[in-house]
Every structure is written in structure tokens, then in C-alpha cells.
Amino acid sequence: MFSKVLIANRGEIALRIVCACRELGIRTSVAHSQPDGDSLAVRLADEAVCIGPASSEQSYLNVAAIVTAAAMVGADAVHPGYGFLSESAVLADACQAAGVVFIGPPPHVLRLLGDKARARRVMQAAGLPVVPGTDSFDTPEEGTRLAETLGFPLLIKATAGGGGRGLRVARTARDLEHSLGAARREAAAAFGDPRLYLERYVDEPRHIEFQILADETRALHLGDRECTLQRRHQKLLEEAPAVGLSEETRHRLGGLVVKAALAVGYRNAGTFEFLVDRGGAPFFIEANARIQVEHPVTEMVTGVDLVKEQIRVAAGEGVSFQQTDVRVTGHAIECRVNAEQAETGRPSPGVIRAFVAPGGPGVRVDTYAHAGCMVWPHYDALVAKVVAHGRDRGEAIARMRRALDMFVIEGIETTMPLHRRVLREPDFLAGRFTTSFLERFIT
Ligand code: ADP
Ligand code: ADP
Ligand code: MG
């Protein structure tokens, strides 16, 4: 096993990785930006090393600074968390060159899945049902031509996209013509790659996904999650297991994602994302080659510590259990508490004056926040994840409601009021919702 892990991330996930390492008896060093110098992760880790100023480009996205920091502190592995460089083949390569283990999939898998158009083709060949769509293209003319064979409405996506950003619906050829230029420029600026691809727009879908774990010899899955409740294509509330998935589809997709993971030589933790149309048919959209924000709901229903498994796999120890050991017990829900005005989603950074996190039966809070801490405007707005587990969905919802009622955060605005409303909506309670559900609450 590793003796020291460098954590190349911040916020709640940095702290989450500290937890896993501590339980495994591994020392931790947090690579942080200047403003994060007194963060909880820095305080609770064994060591910390400053890798640059506030700007992510110069700190959390700085490959050279991270690899240098790993060498400096004598880390034998780097955990990249989610976001930032978590899916960067460049970081994985640089780690390899420096003799440090990258805790994640191998570079060839990161390259494959980081090209969403190529991933679609490969996953289709591996047997997954895939949303009808196109290959990547570079010029608006090619895009217009490809759209003719696909038909409308369609979605314009960035080949290197992520984080729910840069998706545009085109209902007509005119829409498409209007949008392609801007989409291309936006993709180049946001993801460093201007290429786009097109996908059939699935009307009123649900988003479901499968958690996988793979080591040198096996791939297994830990069931599914429902991530349908989104705002601007960003997940806000997630559940495990998925609410609207038939047992037949669940069983079939579980088998298919394991086969697909083996086919591409997958290693470590990952997620296969699908849209389910109104007729119940699932379509693969992308695979995320990292730990996900919503991984705790899977941990609550399976009892598996996914971050510890990631570290074990990277250290060559293999996944600590068999597929037949995986049991889904009860139901779990996660609410993302973001520093945002609840109705508009407008960022609300600032100092948290009062902070009291809920506890009690079945409740878990993953957070970096505390009274007096600063929520910086430079980074992701996620402040805390409240996770509630119950014997069934009803109990999980009741626990989440009371957990949110007991959660005190003063000084910034958060998404909690939105969650409180959603948790009382009859359609939510009945499991009747699609990805546009949250729009009705949004101004
Ligand atoms: P999850 O699928 O784990 O819920 P999200 O899509 O919410 O993850 O992304 C987690 C974090 O990573 C967010 O801060 C998101 O903005 C960021 N992120 C994910 N993928 C990318 C990417 N390709 N480029 C930039 N940011 C990304
Ligand atoms: P990202 O890499 O940014 O996470 P995804 O491809 O996973 O992008 O899509 C993010 C979200 O956008 C999905 O969860 C879904 O709500 C919506 N979406 C993506 N593809 C489609 C599609 N073909 N039709 C309808 N909605 C889609
Ligand atoms: Mg996605």
C-alpha cells in the first residue's frame, strides 16, 4: 500500500480523500492554492503544499506544479478528486514519467473517454445502446451536413465537454446555423478543443448512471443512481437506486456496462451515464473516468467505500469484494448545497458566519465548511452534500427533510430552500419527473 498520497484538489472532496487515506493508514499531503491555505482539508491532512495562486490555471490545473509537489513531499500516488485534472491524460502521463501513481484510469482510457464522440462509437461497438448522433466535426459546414442525416431537434455538444457546460439545443436547421459558430468558440475557450458533435435530443428524459469499479482482472458494478434533477444540465439532487428503472433494464444495463468496461481496459472507479426516454429505453451518453460528486449515495446503499477502493486498485491490491457481494440496501438521496441563490442559481460567495451541520440516524454530511470559513468566488459553488439513507425512499425523504431543516448556514445564500420545496412536491414524491422538472421552480 502507498505510504503517502498527494491530494490534488480542494473543498469537500479533498477532505473526503483525507478520510479514506486516514482509514487506510496512508499519510496525506494536500496540494492547495494560496487562498485555500487554511482550509479544513489543509488543517486535517498530515501535510500541505502550496502550488500556486487563486487562479485554477496556475494551481489546481497546473500539471507541472502538482507533479513537482508530489516529488517534493515524497508522495507515491496522486489523487485528483473530481473536476480539475481528474480526467487529464496529461497529468496521468506526467505522473507515470515521474514514477508516481495516478489514482484513476490509465492514460489511454482517459483519452478515449475524454473524446465524447469517440467514446460513443467505442461503447456502441462494445454493445451499449447509444443515442443516435454524429462523429466530431470541425467546421460549421460539416456540422450542417451531418445534421441533415440526424434530423431535428438535436443537441450540440463539445467533444471535450463536461460539467454540463456548452450544451445547446437546435430545433431547426436555422437554430443550428445560428449556434454552431458560438458553440465552437465556447468549446475552444472552455475545454481547449473547438470540436463539436451532434446528438438526437431526447425529449423529457431521465438521467440514470451506473457506478463501476475495475481492477487488473475484473470489472464489477455497484448499481445505479438517478440524477435527473438538474439545473442547467448540472445535477442538484441524486438518488440510489434510480427511481424509474425497471428491474429488467437495471439487470441488463448492469451486465452491459461491466462488459463495456472490460472491453476498453477500464481500471479504477468510473460512471456510465445514460438517458432513459419516455418509453423506458436507455441510451448511453458518456462515461466519467473519475470519482463522482454523487458517489456517497452509492456508498450509503452498498456499504462500500469507493474512495478506499480507488486507492486499493491503484496500489495493485484489487477491489476488495466480488460482484455477488454487492447488495443494495434501502434508498439514499443526496442534496447538493451550493453557494447560490436558490431560485436563480446566481453565485453567492462570502464568509459563512454560522454553520451547524445536521447528524442523527441515516444522515451524512460531506463538507469543507465551518463557521468563519470563506466560500471563494474562484471555485465550484458546492459547499456541502447532505446525504440521507433510509430503509426505503419514503424514509430517506423524511430524513432529508429534517436534515435540511436542522442545517444552519448563515452569511451566504444556498440551494437549500430549493431542495426543501422539491422534497414536498407531489410529483417528486411519486417519482414522476424528468430533466426539466426543476425548471418550474426557477426564475
Ligand atoms: P458529477 O458527474 O460527478 O456529478 P459534475 O458534472 O457535477 O460531476 O462535475 C463535477 C465537477 O467537475 C464540477 O465542478 C464540474 O464543473 C467539473 N467538471 C467536470 N467535468 C469537467 C470538464 N470536462 N471540464 C471542466 N470542468 C469539469
Ligand atoms: P457533461 O459531460 O457536461 O456531463 P452530458 O453528455 O453528460 O454532459 O450531458 C449532461 C446533461 O445534459 C444530461 O444529464 C442531460 O440532462 C442533458 N443531455 C445530454 N445529452 C442529451 C440528449 N441527447 N438529449 C437530451 N438531453 C441531453
Ligand atoms: Mg455527464
Side-chain angles (χ1 to χ4, degrees), residues 329-331 389-393 395-396 399:
T329 305
H331 194 92
H389 184 220
R391 283 165 302 179
D392 52 31
R393 188 167 186 260
E395 189 173 53
R399 285 186 161 154

Side-chain angles (χ1 to χ4, degrees), residues 1-40:
M1 186 39 79
F2 305 127
S3 58
K4 191 188 282 181
V5 165
L6 183 81
I7 300 169
N9 213 304
R10 64 180 306 282
E12 66 86 21
I13 195 64
L15 212 46
R16 171 72 188 83
I17 300 163
V18 171
C19 293
C21 290
R22 191 63 57 85
E23 291 178 27
L24 289 169
I26 301 170
R27 290 178 61 77
T28 49
S29 183
V30 176
H32 64 86
S33 69
Q34 257 155 23
D36 283 335
D38 68 346
S39 70
L40 211 47

Side-chain angles (χ1 to χ4, degrees), residues 73-124:
V73 304
D76 30 26
V78 171
H79 198 308
Y82 55 69
F84 295 126
L85 294 172
S86 57
E87 296 171 281
S88 164
V90 175
L91 177 62
D93 279 337
C95 285
Q96 208 162 49
V100 180
V101 176
F102 175 82
I103 301 177
H108 78 270
V109 171
L110 295 171
R111 289 210 162 81
L112 165 63
L113 300 180
D115 180 333
K116 293 174 70 177
R118 195 174 138 220
R120 289 166 37 82
R121 287 197 302 279
V122 170
M123 291 306 169
Q124 185 157 33

